Amino acid sequence: MEAILTQGLTKKFGAFVAVDNVSFSVSAGEVFGFLGPNGAGKTTTIRMLCGILPPTAGQALVGGVDVMKEPQKIRGNIGYMSQRFSLYTDLTVAENLTLYAGIYGIPENAVKRRLKEVMELSALVGKEDALVVDLPTGWRQRLALGCAVLHEPEVLFLDEPTSGVDPAARQAFWELIYQLSSQGTAVLVTTHYMEEAEQCNRIGMIFAGRLVAMNTPTLLKERIPGKVYEVEAGDTIRASEIMRQLPGIAEVSPFGRRLHVLTETDTTTRTKLRQALTKAGITVSSLEQVAPSLEDVFIYVAQETANENNKKHR
Ligand SMILES: Nc1ncnc2c1ncn2[C@@H]1O[C@H](COP(=O)(O)OP(=O)(O)O)[C@@H](O)[C@H]1O
Ligand SMILES: [Mg+2]
């Protein structure tokens, strides 16, 4: 049985379609990432799967329970860390955990054991009496995760759990995610960070409510039909304009201080790119073929989706 299974899941707010016919599944022990720009429909999807928001159409089973028919029953089976995770900042670490243990109805004789386990899991041992307001963001996030898994849910929803924390804290948080998934928890996580998406077993890319690509990071990269060149040039803006006008170029996008050039086929060579730039008087300090990154795929898929929409509306 899949931990999460959706079929044509749809949410409309009035005439606006926030989640459009989304079908996917997540199995036990899998870390599935939702990658998409702001407003793509990630949070709305999660809220439907948590039984908080009724879908307009389609079906969703979470832990085998239908979110439409038995939303109450879902809640005991899931952990949910919302975008603005809800800790009580004027309470201590231990008080927050105790409070959530009560909310989740953890039996009296199990509370002590679970509190201890969760303190260890979230690396907060020794901080029991610290006020949440005094904790750095990274620690709060670990505590919020701890609260969300107190009742040992089968399915865990993490909505941008690491936004606003430094890379080291993010990495520590991901180690927690792996620990939980290795114990069989199914994890659905949303993120903006490409290096986090890289760490998911599978990724769903979501644009304007539609799931437009879904696969492992490795296989997603194979979607790019041509090559990716990384270019470091004197005048980035002009270099970008010039390369974009060459035949066989799918996309040119900024990549840090450099540019990434996605070609449609294998015929656009390094030499051709370099010649075009040099001819326009642009200094090229480096021009190399690189392996596609997830960001390249994301940009490519976004472009592809925009083109399809334009065709439809013409
Ligand atoms: N309760 C609501 N009423 C009307 N529109 C909403 C509501 N909730 C979300 N939306 C809209 O639905 C779209 C998707 O939002 P959301 O799921 O929060 O996106 P994401 O989490 O990917 O940033 C946005 O355009 C948002 O404004
Ligand atoms: Mg969101």
Side-chain angles (χ1 to χ4, degrees):
M1 186 191 69
E2 297 287 1
I4 303 173
L5 181 65
T6 83
Q7 195 51 252
L9 192 63
T10 299
K11 182 67 195 183
K12 294 184 185 172
F13 296 110
F16 176 71
V17 188
V19 176
D20 191 358
N21 203 13
V22 163
S23 306
F24 69 99
S25 66
V26 182
S27 39
E30 186 175 26
V31 181
F32 186 90
F34 255 167
L35 195 60
N38 268 329
K42 303 180 296 295
T43 299
T44 305
T45 304
I46 288 184
R47 293 180 69 211
M48 288 192 280
L49 296 177
C50 290
I52 301 169
L53 193 68
T56 311
Q59 211 199 10
L61 301 178
V62 175
V65 180
D66 191 316
V67 301
M68 288 269 225
K69 293 179 187 143
E70 297 179 286
Q72 315 295 343
K73 211 173 148 190
I74 300 276
R75 286 169 213 171
N77 224 345
I78 59 156
Y80 174 37
M81 189 171 152
S82 71
Q83 241 169 316
R84 284 179 294 161
F85 42 90
S86 16
L87 293 172
Y88 295 85
T89 51
D90 51 343
L91 298 182
T92 66
V93 168
E95 284 166 346
N96 268 278
L97 287 169
T98 310
L99 193 78
Y100 275 98
I103 293 173
Y104 289 127
I106 294 175
E108 206 69 55
N109 57 7
V111 171
K112 214 175 146 196
R113 173 183 63 87
R114 278 309 286 158
L115 254 58
K116 186 166 173 283
E117 286 169 358
V118 164
M119 290 293 294
E120 278 162 13
L121 173 83
S122 39
L124 289 166
V125 176
K127 294 286 168 192
E128 288 79 356
D129 299 325
L131 284 175
V132 169
V133 69
D134 297 329
L135 294 181
T137 317
W139 296 54
R140 285 193 207 186
Q141 272 154 327
R142 296 206 306 270
L143 175 59
L145 181 71
C147 290
V149 299
L150 266 173
H151 56 306
E152 300 176 85
E154 285 174 44
V155 186
L156 183 58
F157 296 98
L158 305 173
D159 200 357
E160 290 182 32
T162 59
S163 53
V165 296
D166 61 82
R170 282 204 326 248
Q171 196 48 46
F173 192 89
W174 270 81
E175 272 151 33
L176 277 183
I177 296 179
Y178 285 130
Q179 205 176 324
L180 290 162
S181 76
S182 69
Q183 291 160 12
T185 311
V187 181
L188 175 60
V189 57
T190 73
T191 181
H192 286 309
Y193 299 111
M194 295 294 164
E195 79 273 15
E196 289 192 352
E198 289 274 0
Q199 304 190 55
C200 297
N201 299 124
R202 275 189 310 140
I203 296 165
M205 290 187 175
I206 179 163
F207 290 97
R210 286 176 48 219
L211 192 56
V212 292
M214 176 167 57
N215 220 323
T216 63
T218 309
L219 290 174
L220 274 174
K221 289 171 191 168
E222 289 179 8
R223 250 183 109 108
I224 294 191
K227 294 175 180 167
V228 180
Y229 292 104
E230 193 166 281
V231 182
E232 191 170 347
D235 184 342
T236 319
I237 295 173
R238 266 198 60 226
S240 165
E241 281 164 5
I242 285 160
M243 289 190 290
R244 201 166 272 148
Q245 276 155 25
L246 296 174
I249 301 297
E251 185 63 35
V252 181
S253 54
F255 201 86
R257 280 173 40 242
R258 301 172 174 208
L259 291 169
H260 268 202
V261 182
L262 270 56
T263 70
E264 276 160 3
T265 61
D266 283 351
T267 54
T268 312
T269 57
R270 264 176 68 193
T271 319
K272 281 185 193 165
L273 282 176
R274 187 180 277 277
Q275 277 170 353
L277 291 171
T278 316
K279 206 174 131 204
I282 294 169
T283 336
V284 181
S285 27
S286 80
L287 202 164
E288 296 297 332
Q289 190 186 341
V290 294
S293 69
L294 217 41
E295 192 165 340
D296 293 321
V297 180
F298 192 70
I299 288 164
Y300 180 77
V301 172
Q303 181 72 26
E304 214 178 33
T305 311
N307 289 344
E308 275 165 26
N309 286 348
N310 283 344
K311 263 185 232 152
K312 247 186 261 164
H313 293 130
R314 231 176 266 154

